[in-house]
Amino acid sequence: MARIDGFSVDKTTLQFVGTGLSRPECIIAEPDGTLWISDNRGALTHVEAGTGKQRLIGPAEGIPNGVAMEPDGTFLVADIGAGCLYRIDRDGNKTMLYDKIDGKRIGAVNFVYIDGKDRLWIAVSTITEPRLLAVDTAIPDGYILLIDENGPRRVAEGLYFTNEIRIDGEGKYLYVAETTAGGVTRFTIEDDGSLSDKQPFGPRPLFKGAKVDGIAFDADGNLWVTEITRNQIVVLKPDGTALTVFEDPEGKVIDFPTSVTFGGPDLRTVYVGSLRMDKLAVFTSPVPGVPMRHWTV
């Protein structure tokens, strides 16, 4: 029996971290318990391990969305409002990296992921303006950028509001949440970084009208998925079987969940990001998460 079988999140035991956060979409957890949370009052809110003391860093401009930590401890931020990717250090110093590709605006830059080879995978949700039109109506104009030693290039197109990206432990497959398709898509990663063999992973959609957002792997190869219309957390087992481990249609305790991040000393602490809450929901998983790149360098 898999460790995830029979598990569900007990609403009565949920805990919460952070206060006064604004649009805490994405979370970076460090091994010592430090948290860095995207926050559109600036760029990131730093939550100090142990004390919970908060510090806002970065200028109040744009809409910081997905975040990745680089090996040197600086951050890459996908700004979905300004349509750019920038770097910011822990003192709030900001450097623009990409706002155009081939002389054209990138589009709604949603998420950035650093893989085991230190390549950057960038999810661009849509080139439609305003971008919310592509949330209300399924428009297949999202794409994925790969940035490596050869520079930036598109490696996948025709996606339905491209959202979070993850790569499996062997580096063989790339998984991407397609929000308005209501499910997850998997690609084979070729040696040169190109993507092939596009196919759905798990139910597509999870249910009629579903909209998925964040994804993250655990150590057993399960892919955790957040769904925003029913405020669900769904686990896709390695064979694609879907298990709903949390649901809150009225949004009483978790509203608009956008991401799950594994942290804590044993990687079993799960932090849930949101567009509508001013704090993070927290619970314990029966399975530890897969450590992100900044845990392994």
Side-chain angles (χ1 to χ4, degrees):
M1 181 177 178
R3 286 189 283 181
I4 196 65
D5 289 341
F7 172 72
S8 63
V9 179
D10 185 346
K11 296 178 184 178
T12 66
T13 63
L14 279 173
Q15 298 182 350
F16 297 92
V17 170
T19 59
L21 304 174
S22 180
R23 201 180 182 277
E25 162 89 15
C26 188
I27 306 130
I28 297 291
E30 293 193 75
D32 68 354
T34 299
L35 299 178
W36 302 86
I37 307 162
S38 60
D39 191 318
N40 69 356
R41 298 174 300 165
L44 298 167
T45 287
H46 168 223
V47 180
E48 189 176 276
T51 67
K53 183 178 178 181
Q54 295 185 188
R55 175 173 64 97
L56 184 67
I57 66 171
E61 56 189 26
I63 304 175
N65 209 73
V67 183
M69 182 187 289
E70 297 184 285
D72 65 358
T74 57
F75 299 92
L76 300 175
V77 179
D79 190 318
I80 199 170
C84 66
L85 178 72
Y86 62 84
R87 175 177 287 117
I88 193 165
D89 66 21
R90 298 184 180 211
D91 293 322
N93 299 305
K94 179 178 173 181
T95 304
M96 180 63 65
L97 298 179
Y98 295 95
D99 59 359
K100 293 182 180 179
I101 300 293
D102 298 327
K104 298 180 180 179
R105 294 183 62 188
I106 297 177
V109 183
N110 186 302
F111 189 72
V112 54
Y113 178 80
I114 304 175
D115 71 9
K117 298 180 179 179
D118 291 326
R119 297 176 296 189
L120 305 184
W121 302 86
I122 314 298
V124 181
S125 293
T126 181
I127 58 174
T128 299
E129 295 187 20
R131 70 181 182 281
L132 291 180
L133 291 176
V135 176
D136 297 334
T137 303
I139 301 174
D141 65 350
Y143 63 96
I144 297 173
L145 277 175
L146 170 62
I147 302 175
D148 59 12
E149 67 275 9
N150 297 314
R153 62 190 185 278
R154 293 192 186 203
V155 289
E157 298 182 283
L159 302 176
Y160 288 89
F161 209 86
T162 329
N163 218 301
E164 288 199 0
I165 291 169
R166 291 291 187 272
I167 292 175
D168 74 316
E170 297 181 355
K172 183 177 181 180
Y173 296 110
L174 179 144
Y175 296 75
V176 57
E178 289 190 77
T179 296
T180 54
V184 174
T185 297
R186 186 176 78 177
F187 294 89
T188 298
I189 305 173
E190 304 296 343
D191 291 341
D192 63 356
S194 59
L195 300 179
S196 64
D197 192 26
K198 177 182 179 182
Q199 57 184 289
F201 178 72
R204 179 187 170 99
L206 293 179
F207 55 84
K208 186 177 180 179
K211 291 181 178 178
V212 299
D213 200 315
I215 54 176
F217 275 111
D218 69 24
D220 288 350
N222 303 305
L223 188 65
W224 294 56
V225 183
T226 62
E227 194 285 322
I228 60 177
T229 69
R230 295 183 184 173
N231 302 316
Q232 288 185 342
I233 299 174
V234 177
V235 175
L236 299 179
K237 298 175 70 173
D239 64 0
T241 301
L243 303 175
T244 300
V245 300
F246 179 84
E247 184 174 51
D248 184 12
E250 297 179 354
K252 291 183 176 180
V253 291
I254 296 181
D255 190 14
F256 213 108
T258 53
S259 63
V260 292
T261 297
F262 290 90
D266 58 1
L267 280 168
R268 293 176 185 265
T269 302
V270 180
Y271 302 94
V272 182
S274 166
L275 289 193
R276 293 180 180 163
M277 297 174 65
D278 63 358
K279 55 194 172 185
L280 309 178
V282 186
F283 63 88
T284 301
S285 166
V287 186
V290 171
M292 298 296 287
R293 178 60 174 151
H294 62 276
W295 285 59
T296 61
V297 292

